[in-house]
Amino acid sequence: MATTRLITHHIAKGSTVGQTMKDRFDYGQNPLKTNDGDLVLSYECDAKTAYREFVLSKAKYHAITGRKQKKNEDVLCYQIRQSFLPGETDAEGALKIGYELAMRWTKGKHAFFVASHIDRPHPHIHIYYNSTTLDCTRKFRDFLGSARALRRLSDRICIENRLSYIAHPKLKSKGKYRHYGEWLGANRKPGFKERLKAQIDACIANIPQSFEAFLQAMQEAGWEVKRGRGGAISFRTEGQERFTRLRASTLGKGYGEDEIRAAIGGRATGSGNAPPRRKMSLVIDIQERLKAGKGPGYERWAKVFNLKQMAAAVQYLQENNLFSYEDLEAKAWEATDNFHAAAGRLKQVEAGMKRNAALKKAIVDYAKTRPVFEEYKAKKYSRKYLAEHEAELAVYRAAQASMRELLCGAKLPKMDALKAEWRRLASKKKSGYAEYRAAQKKMREAVTVKANIDCLLGIADREKNKEIER
């Protein structure tokens, strides 16, 4: 289960910018923790001189932009800590995953280095990236919800690499939510059930050939396996008095024996947090593109792209607790109906605003041209007067007809009432548009995920064949 934490580094009290960063970086690159520096990767910088390069980039930033923050407020660099469950990956694997996380998080716009440590039982990495961009014109800003965005990116990369992740990390503690990195923190030792579920996830992620191979992997990981009456499977580890039964009612949905057997046999998604087999962009029909003239390079890129789309689809299914195709289909229909309902409400508000604007314009035009009509009437509809004021009289008649059509026999409202109604409708449109955009986003996500799952299961091809036969 990969956990993440985002840390900002400021100037240490009584120290300089360079010395502060050097102290931080020396800790991350400690030879005893990084196998004499073999477990360090860098991007657009030399890890050994990174603190000097970061200081130089900040001097260039001040020279180019002219902006300079107060000494205690300036962020020197950012640090990301990413930890993995023991047994899921090794130090080299963690280093590669950490490098990919850093590259996708910074989008290649910030220099960074990644150090994988071997001083703890669990693999973990430290990422240090410069707050100043490579062109020295901008800085990275720690935005609202950055920790959650980092966690989601880490979870997605874990799914792509067939590693488990924490689906619901936030736990209440004295009325407050703990941050992601504290989910398995020192103040809370995970229970036997949590440890058992984590180990099941790790074993399933390794794709055992059979259920017996899965049980053997559990035994090798230090779990005692017991077969009870009727063949029921139970597990126990060191320090545990009673066995824990392998069933969904005890461990949760996705952890029953039948579900695990189905996952191993390739018929289900497996355990609760283990990466399933099956995003927010439609997958590419690679064969069709190759027929259209695309080359081997495009084919390699498309395969990676499709893998990422399926990983995102898996993450969506986990986060929304969609454990069957029927649930996904219902979710897509519900999201589509909600979107159309929000669009309908927004159209009604816009129609009301359009009517309000037209009525106000008609009232103003009527008030401006009515004196002309009254004088025309007083002159007994003189042709000479009509020729001189034909345009004004045409505006008067059009405004009169428009008011008649818009009011439909109702009493003419006062201008202040119309203005108040306009403000109310404008406010309603603003909130309605936000609701519309949110519903549209949810619909696109649900429909795209369903389309990708259909593609994976071959449903789209079957429907296409039926249409051809018809």
Side-chain angles (χ1 to χ4, degrees):
M1 296 183 189
T3 63
T4 55
R5 186 180 178 187
L6 181 62
I7 305 169
T8 58
H9 289 306
H10 300 268
I11 300 175
K13 188 175 181 180
S15 182
T16 63
V17 173
Q19 188 60 45
T20 299
M21 284 196 288
K22 186 177 185 303
D23 292 342
R24 302 290 184 187
F25 296 175
D26 286 348
Y27 172 81
Q29 300 176 54
N30 188 333
L32 298 176
K33 299 180 179 182
T34 60
N35 196 21
D36 292 329
D38 291 340
L39 298 175
V40 178
L41 290 176
S42 61
Y43 171 75
E44 294 294 334
C45 69
D46 187 334
K48 295 180 180 179
T49 60
Y51 71 96
R52 289 178 180 155
E53 296 178 43
F54 286 16
V55 171
L56 180 60
S57 69
K58 296 182 187 307
K60 289 182 179 179
Y61 170 82
H62 296 150
I64 293 172
T65 64
R67 296 192 290 268
K68 193 169 183 179
Q69 288 183 293
K70 294 180 181 179
K71 184 176 180 180
N72 295 329
E73 294 179 359
D74 191 18
V75 177
L76 305 181
C77 64
Y78 290 86
Q79 179 186 0
I80 298 173
R81 294 179 185 172
Q82 188 180 30
S83 303
F84 302 90
L85 194 70
E88 279 201 338
T89 186
D90 55 13
E92 290 79 6
L95 183 64
K96 293 178 181 178
I97 294 172
Y99 187 89
E100 183 179 358
L101 174 65
M103 184 62 73
R104 288 167 68 169
W105 177 250
T106 63
K107 299 179 180 178
K109 296 180 180 179
H110 298 258
F112 65 81
F113 70 87
V114 186
S116 180
H117 286 188
I118 57 176
D119 60 324
R120 298 290 178 86
H122 62 284
H124 65 283
I125 54 98
H126 295 256
I127 301 170
Y128 298 87
Y129 66 93
N130 196 354
S131 61
T132 307
T133 55
L134 293 172
D135 59 7
C136 301
T137 60
R138 299 178 67 86
K139 284 193 173 184
F140 181 90
R141 300 298 179 190
D142 189 10
F143 54 91
L144 182 65
S146 58
R148 183 174 182 273
L150 176 64
R151 171 173 64 83
R152 285 176 59 85
L153 177 60
S154 173
D155 290 347
R156 184 165 298 183
I157 293 174
C158 285
I159 292 175
E160 293 169 7
N161 289 274
R162 304 192 65 81
L163 300 178
S164 62
Y165 69 99
I166 303 170
H168 306 289
K170 291 185 177 180
L171 299 175
K172 281 189 174 180
S173 174
K174 297 181 180 179
K176 296 182 179 180
Y177 283 106
R178 299 181 179 183
H179 69 72
Y180 187 67
E182 289 180 341
W183 194 84
L184 291 175
N187 295 330
R188 177 185 177 274
K189 187 176 180 180
F192 292 115
K193 287 184 181 180
E194 291 176 358
R195 291 166 60 185
L196 175 58
K197 290 164 69 175
Q199 189 58 54
I200 290 174
D201 292 339
C203 291
I204 292 293
N206 291 327
I207 318 177
Q209 296 299 314
S210 63
F211 187 73
E212 295 302 323
F214 161 74
L215 296 178
Q216 181 65 32
M218 292 292 293
Q219 286 180 322
E220 292 174 358
W223 289 85
E224 182 183 351
V225 181
K226 173 186 174 184
R227 294 182 182 273
R229 294 180 181 177
I233 305 295
S234 300
F235 295 99
R236 184 173 66 179
T237 189
E238 184 179 356
Q240 185 178 0
E241 295 182 3
R242 302 176 62 183
F243 281 86
T244 302
R245 180 75 65 86
L246 181 66
R247 58 185 178 188
S249 60
T250 301
L251 297 174
K253 190 172 183 179
Y255 290 94
E257 181 179 343
D258 293 339
E259 293 164 304
I260 292 177
R261 285 183 180 274
I264 294 172
R267 302 189 302 276
T269 59
S271 56
N273 294 331
R277 306 185 313 275
R278 313 184 192 94
K279 169 185 173 197
M280 298 312 161
S281 295
L282 292 171
V283 295
I284 297 172
D285 190 335
I286 299 177
Q287 296 304 318
E288 289 295 327
R289 298 295 176 91
L290 293 178
K291 290 178 183 177
K294 296 293 184 179
Y298 179 86
E299 182 181 7
R300 289 192 296 271
W301 172 85
K303 287 179 179 179
V304 175
F305 178 83
N306 284 353
L307 175 64
K308 292 182 178 181
Q309 308 320 309
M310 288 304 178
V314 168
Q315 188 174 23
Y316 179 87
L317 296 175
Q318 290 282 357
E319 291 177 351
N320 291 275
N321 296 321
L322 303 174
F323 298 106
S324 68
Y325 183 81
E326 290 73 18
D327 293 341
L328 174 60
E329 193 172 35
K331 180 77 173 179
W333 281 113
E334 180 186 3
T336 303
D337 291 342
N338 291 340
F339 167 73
H340 288 305
R345 290 191 292 269
L346 187 60
K347 285 181 180 179
Q348 287 180 352
V349 174
E350 289 176 340
M353 294 180 71
K354 186 177 179 181
R355 175 186 175 278
N356 183 283
L359 186 55
K360 286 191 294 186
K361 182 179 182 301
I363 291 173
V364 171
D365 290 343
Y366 181 82
K368 286 181 178 179
T369 57
R370 185 175 180 182
V372 178
F373 177 78
E374 292 295 337
E375 189 172 353
Y376 174 57
K377 185 178 178 182
K379 291 183 178 293
K380 299 181 180 180
Y381 307 104
S382 167
R383 292 185 178 180
K384 181 181 178 181
Y385 188 86
L386 174 63
E388 293 174 352
H389 300 87
E390 187 173 1
E392 292 95 325
L393 291 171
V395 171
Y396 172 82
R397 293 190 183 96
Q400 195 176 42
S402 181
M403 287 192 297
R404 229 181 257 119
E405 180 182 354
L406 292 170
L407 292 172
C408 298
K411 186 179 179 182
L412 181 67
K414 294 183 179 180
M415 185 60 73
D416 290 341
L418 287 173
K419 290 180 179 179
E421 182 189 22
W422 174 269
R423 289 192 294 270
R424 180 181 62 79
L425 290 172
S427 176
K428 194 172 181 180
K429 179 184 177 181
K430 185 177 180 180
S431 59
Y433 190 70
E435 180 187 3
Y436 167 83
R437 291 295 297 272
Q440 184 185 54
K441 181 181 178 181
K442 291 181 179 179
M443 179 194 71
R444 285 176 175 172
E445 286 182 345
V447 170
T448 303
V449 169
K450 181 181 179 298
N452 288 346
I453 298 301
D454 287 347
C455 180
L456 182 68
L457 299 177
I459 294 175
D461 294 337
R462 289 200 296 271
E463 293 298 327
K464 187 176 180 180
N465 292 335
K466 287 181 182 179
E467 184 65 27
I468 293 173
E469 290 175 3
R470 284 197 294 268

